[in-house]
Amino acid sequence: MHDDDEASGRVTLAAVAKEAGVSMPTVSKVLNGRSDVSRATRAKVERLLDAHGYRRRSQAASRSPLIELVFHELDSIWAMELIRGVENVAKDNRATVVLTESGTRHRPAPEWLPGVLRRRPLGVVLVFSALPEDIKRQLRAAAIPFVVIDPAGDPDPDVPSVGSANWAGGLAATRHLTDLGHRRVAIITGPEDMLCSLARLDGYRSAMAMAGLAADPRLTRFGDFHVQGGFDHAMDLLEGPDRPTAVFAGSDLQALGVLEAARLKGLRVPQDLSVVGYDDVPLAQWSSPPLTTVHQPLRHMAEEAARMLLRPDDPGTAAQRIELATHLVPRQSTARLESGGTPDRPDGTTSALPGEG
């Protein structure tokens, strides 16, 4: 039952209140995200609202002209690309973007939900790997549409989401290095509990297998997508004579850490070490040397997510998954490796590995 008809909406709420054994004001408090309702009562009322098919569609006109964009952290370059994408669509629709930092990379914090129910935005874009059932249920009961920009790559099938081709990106990055003759290729992917990290790792392993190479487990590292993580892992990987000649970093920020580690180790990029990043944030072309990377269309992903929010009643977007293509952007941080195992220099000579004459 939908309450486009005001009278039928009152009947639904009255039935929910009666079945739950609570008053109509209590049901209203649940719908509006009020905190002065016990957890058990809230859960009971939400289950009944869902069972009755209650949707507050008739109140759409009362929503604030806001699009809420929720991150678990805002201190990253790629977050700015997502913000710009949502802002592009919001501006075209005379809406304002509200930024919220909440929770972990897996889910927003519980205290975020009552606030968004009070704000009643046009919709919510969430940059998380998953959404708990209670959050999905309460947003739907309040007729607040939501879309996940999915950094993990595998959202629930009932969640509208926008992602990118992580496996293909990992494959392209690693094939670029093996095609240049590199045999000892290391990977510093992202956190082990994120499927985007695992998908990029699977792409790396597939490319190594396609080149007839065994992926050395000692060259596989799980990072955190930040500069320090890339630096720490690279310092360890580049220690000793059996170092890799190339590193695929699962984010541009990690790649910047690899570049710094190479500098401290006395290795030149790309003459002594080739480096590939991931994301293609604007800073990548200004690193020294400019970074070869995999372009992930972050701004386009955010634009698509915002557009999905603004057409929530379109049957085609009810639980749509959009996956955008990635592609390699070659720059100056990669070079061909000679058959003898040392990278070519631009002048045609070769560089010796540490310890070699």
Side-chain angles (χ1 to χ4, degrees):
M1 175 185 291
H2 300 302
D3 70 333
D4 293 323
D5 179 335
E6 187 179 359
S8 68
R10 280 202 288 268
V11 170
T12 301
L13 291 182
V16 168
K18 183 176 180 180
E19 287 185 51
V22 300
S23 65
M24 287 279 285
T26 297
V27 176
S28 179
K29 288 179 182 180
V30 172
L31 284 169
N32 289 286
R34 293 274 296 274
S35 59
D36 52 342
V37 179
S38 73
R39 182 176 298 179
T41 297
R42 181 183 302 279
K44 183 190 297 184
V45 170
E46 286 169 355
R47 282 197 302 270
L48 290 169
L49 286 168
D50 191 53
H52 281 270
Y54 183 82
R55 298 290 184 273
R56 298 193 333 186
R57 298 178 187 270
S58 62
Q59 296 190 19
S62 68
R63 293 178 188 155
S64 303
L66 306 173
I67 295 176
E68 185 151 346
L69 178 55
V70 191
F71 296 89
H72 80 278
E73 61 180 8
L74 284 167
D75 59 343
S76 66
I77 300 172
W78 61 264
M80 292 304 303
E81 289 298 291
L82 297 178
I83 292 168
R84 290 189 180 102
V86 173
E87 282 186 332
N88 289 343
V89 175
K91 188 183 301 183
D92 292 342
N93 289 271
R94 298 183 179 180
T96 300
V97 178
V98 175
L99 299 179
T100 301
E101 187 176 48
S102 176
T104 69
R105 61 176 174 262
H106 296 292
R107 58 168 293 166
E111 59 267 21
W112 166 75
L113 188 60
V116 74
L117 294 177
R118 286 193 300 272
R119 289 187 289 275
R120 291 195 56 74
L122 295 173
V124 181
V125 176
L126 300 115
V127 188
F128 294 94
S129 60
L131 275 186
E133 287 299 324
D134 60 325
I135 290 181
K136 291 190 287 186
R137 186 171 60 246
Q138 291 187 64
L139 290 174
R140 285 169 178 152
I144 299 176
F146 58 90
V147 177
V148 170
I149 297 179
D150 178 40
D154 190 26
D156 293 334
D158 64 337
V159 175
S161 63
V162 181
S164 67
N166 288 293
W167 180 86
L171 181 79
T174 312
R175 284 195 69 177
H176 173 68
L177 294 169
T178 59
D179 286 349
L180 289 172
H182 293 277
R183 295 295 177 262
R184 287 191 59 75
V185 180
I187 179 173
I188 307 172
T189 189
E192 194 168 2
D193 60 353
M194 294 186 69
L195 288 177
C196 65
S197 307
L198 300 178
R200 293 170 196 176
L201 177 58
D202 285 344
Y204 158 85
R205 287 170 172 161
S206 295
M208 294 292 283
M210 290 168 65
L213 302 171
D216 186 343
R218 295 173 298 175
L219 300 184
T220 296
R221 305 297 172 93
F222 289 95
D224 58 5
F225 289 144
H226 293 291
V227 175
Q228 187 66 48
F231 174 82
D232 292 341
H233 283 297
M235 289 294 286
D236 185 52
L237 286 165
L238 299 177
E239 188 68 35
D242 199 23
R243 67 167 181 85
T245 62
V247 177
F248 165 37
S251 73
D252 290 341
L253 293 180
Q254 288 185 153
L256 294 179
V258 175
L259 294 180
E260 177 60 12
R263 186 187 71 82
L264 292 179
K265 293 287 187 181
L267 299 173
R268 296 165 301 164
V269 176
Q271 294 95 327
D272 304 320
L273 180 73
S274 286
V275 180
V276 178
Y278 200 102
D279 287 330
D280 193 24
V281 296
L283 184 62
Q285 61 185 310
W286 297 108
S287 67
S288 183
L291 186 64
T292 296
T293 187
V294 174
H295 178 79
Q296 180 173 211
L298 295 168
R299 195 175 302 194
H300 189 191
M301 289 161 64
E303 289 171 346
E304 287 298 326
R307 291 188 187 105
M308 289 169 71
L309 280 184
L310 298 174
R311 54 177 193 269
D313 296 328
D314 181 348
T317 64
Q320 183 176 352
R321 166 71 175 178
I322 296 177
E323 187 165 283
L324 301 177
T326 55
H327 65 271
L328 186 79
V329 181
R331 295 194 181 103
Q332 283 76 58
S333 66
T334 51
R336 177 169 294 280
L337 191 75
E338 278 200 339
S339 58
T342 54
D344 285 342
R345 289 176 177 169
D347 61 4
T349 62
T350 61
S351 60
L353 296 177
E356 295 180 342

